[in-house]
Amino acid sequence: MAAITTTVPQVVLQSSTGQRRMPVMGLGTAPEAASKVSTKDAVLEAIKQGYRHFDAAAAYGVKKSVGEAIAEALQLGLIASRDELFVTSKLWVTDNHPHLIVPALQKSLRTLQLEYLDLFLIHWPITTQPGGVKYPIEVSEIVEFDMKGVWSSMEECQRLGLTKAIGISNFSIKKLEKLLSFATITPAVNQVEVNLGWQQVKLREFCKEKGIVITAFSPLRKGASRGENLVMDNDILKELADAHGKTIAQICLRWLYEQGLTFVAKSYDKERMNQNLQIFDWSLTEDDYKKISEIHQDRLIKGPTKPLLNDLWDEE
């Protein structure tokens, strides 16, 4: 008996080749340290459940596994063609040099066993000396970020057909304004932290005005945090989840969906993957919104460097 899959709504990426459509929910593929499930198995399971959008990055070290899962999904007939999937990858800071970008993307495609990406993002508005992935980034490794040269090479990737759309990640309004002053292809997406504990109203309004889709990462406030989770441990959200007969995660993801945002939720757990998909047939109330507006706001992901950079977020 075939598995019952959920169909995820899609948004059109304005500056993409052929008006590419992106499913509003994707599966984040950054490896889960505590998970016993491999990335390959998680991606295959997600495809079975109806996920069609997968978010990878050079820094995650999972592209080979994602590529193998896609190849197997095609072989098993879970999808009829690669075109049914939306695959995102991100350029790491060591390749954030104009002359390294096209080769970096070509290398990613070989690892993923794909002809093209659907979306290629600049991971951080930072450039370091070329080399391997190190995290956190040592501040001593940072060199000047040639935003204009880098973006010109990103545009070349789209023109060459290596990716259907290009975008950025972790860009403030100020950095976006600078990029838009010379871009001939507007970034299709800005992938940033958005969750109920960091709602990013100003940045969201700015991107909406410019036709840039926001993709929320850490939508459930997970990531580099240790200690209390301002979202998943939140009493207001526990109360809302009980009132709706939903999980806290479902409340969080539904809120993002109602804001018109796209998001990548990361879980390698089969049940939670399925729960995260069950957010499209119910709504939050006006009273819920009032309570949500009272949640304490604080950025979770302060930056990828050690020590942190003062001007990374331009005090936004």
Side-chain angles (χ1 to χ4, degrees):
M1 199 173 93
I4 298 165
T5 60
T6 301
T7 303
V8 176
Q10 300 179 327
V11 293
V12 173
L13 300 182
Q14 296 302 335
S15 58
S16 61
T17 305
Q19 298 280 281
R20 193 77 174 114
R21 301 178 79 86
M22 177 167 87
V24 299
M25 184 191 289
L27 184 82
T29 63
E32 294 211 324
S35 177
K36 293 185 175 77
V37 181
S38 71
T39 299
K40 181 185 170 183
D41 288 345
V43 171
L44 262 176
E45 174 58 35
I47 291 172
K48 285 175 190 167
Q49 291 195 21
Y51 285 85
R52 293 294 178 264
H53 174 183
F54 296 93
D55 182 78
Y60 301 164
V62 295
K63 285 184 295 194
K64 188 170 184 284
S65 304
V66 172
E68 286 169 355
I70 292 169
E72 195 165 315
L74 282 162
Q75 211 180 333
L76 295 170
L78 298 174
I79 46 172
S81 90
R82 178 266 179 264
D83 298 348
E84 288 179 30
L85 299 181
F86 190 100
V87 182
T88 300
S89 191
K90 308 182 196 84
L91 179 80
W92 189 238
V93 296
T94 47
D95 287 322
N96 230 347
H97 300 265
H99 68 290
L100 295 180
I101 292 171
V102 170
L105 176 49
Q106 288 168 328
K107 185 184 173 190
S108 285
L109 290 172
R110 283 195 298 275
T111 311
L112 284 159
Q113 305 174 54
L114 297 177
E115 301 276 311
Y116 66 89
L117 284 181
D118 297 281
L119 179 62
F120 189 40
L121 304 176
I122 297 171
H123 205 150
W124 289 95
I126 294 169
T127 301
T128 66
Q129 305 282 1
V133 173
K134 288 181 204 148
Y135 199 91
I137 298 159
E138 292 291 340
V139 169
S140 60
E141 293 278 303
I142 293 177
V143 295
E144 194 183 345
F145 176 36
D146 172 10
M147 193 189 287
K148 193 171 183 176
V150 162
W151 191 250
S152 174
S153 295
M154 293 291 286
E155 292 181 336
E156 182 65 6
C157 290
Q158 185 167 330
R159 279 194 284 269
L160 289 169
L162 301 172
T163 183
K164 302 287 184 192
I166 51 175
I168 68 266
S169 183
N170 299 299
F171 269 55
S172 64
I173 292 172
K174 189 177 170 183
K175 289 184 175 69
L176 255 175
E177 281 176 332
K178 182 180 173 182
L179 191 152
L180 291 171
S181 73
F182 49 70
T184 58
I185 299 175
T186 302
V189 168
N190 187 13
Q191 187 179 121
V192 291
E193 180 192 341
V194 187
N195 50 59
L196 288 174
W198 190 241
Q199 296 177 17
Q200 294 264 49
V201 178
K202 276 187 188 162
L203 179 65
R204 282 164 36 207
E205 282 172 1
F206 178 84
C207 287
K208 190 177 179 183
E209 197 185 295
K210 302 295 180 188
I212 300 167
V213 171
I214 290 252
T215 298
F217 70 71
S218 296
L220 307 177
R221 196 79 187 173
K222 291 176 180 169
S225 65
R226 297 287 174 270
E228 194 186 9
N229 182 321
L230 280 183
V231 168
M232 300 303 279
D233 302 327
N234 189 289
D235 289 337
I236 293 171
L237 295 178
K238 282 175 187 165
E239 190 189 306
L240 296 187
D242 289 346
H244 283 275
K246 302 291 176 187
T247 65
I248 291 176
Q250 286 170 327
I251 297 289
C252 294
L253 298 179
R254 178 69 201 184
W255 178 84
L256 290 164
Y257 178 60
E258 290 186 10
Q259 301 302 307
L261 304 182
T262 64
F263 41 93
V264 287
K266 194 182 82 177
S267 179
Y268 281 13
D269 179 89
K270 195 173 171 175
E271 297 304 313
R272 281 202 295 273
M273 260 188 217
N274 186 263
Q275 284 172 357
N276 289 348
L277 285 172
Q278 309 309 316
I279 62 160
F280 299 113
D281 57 355
W282 52 279
S283 301
L284 296 167
T285 67
E286 226 170 288
D287 193 46
D288 296 339
Y289 271 89
K290 215 171 129 198
K291 287 173 180 164
I292 283 167
S293 70
E294 292 161 15
I295 294 171
H296 174 72
Q297 296 296 294
D298 180 42
R299 192 189 292 277
L300 172 70
I301 309 295
K302 307 280 198 271
T305 61
K306 186 183 167 186
L308 292 169
L309 299 175
N310 294 330
D311 60 348
L312 182 62
W313 308 112
D314 302 308
E315 294 176 7
E316 286 171 15

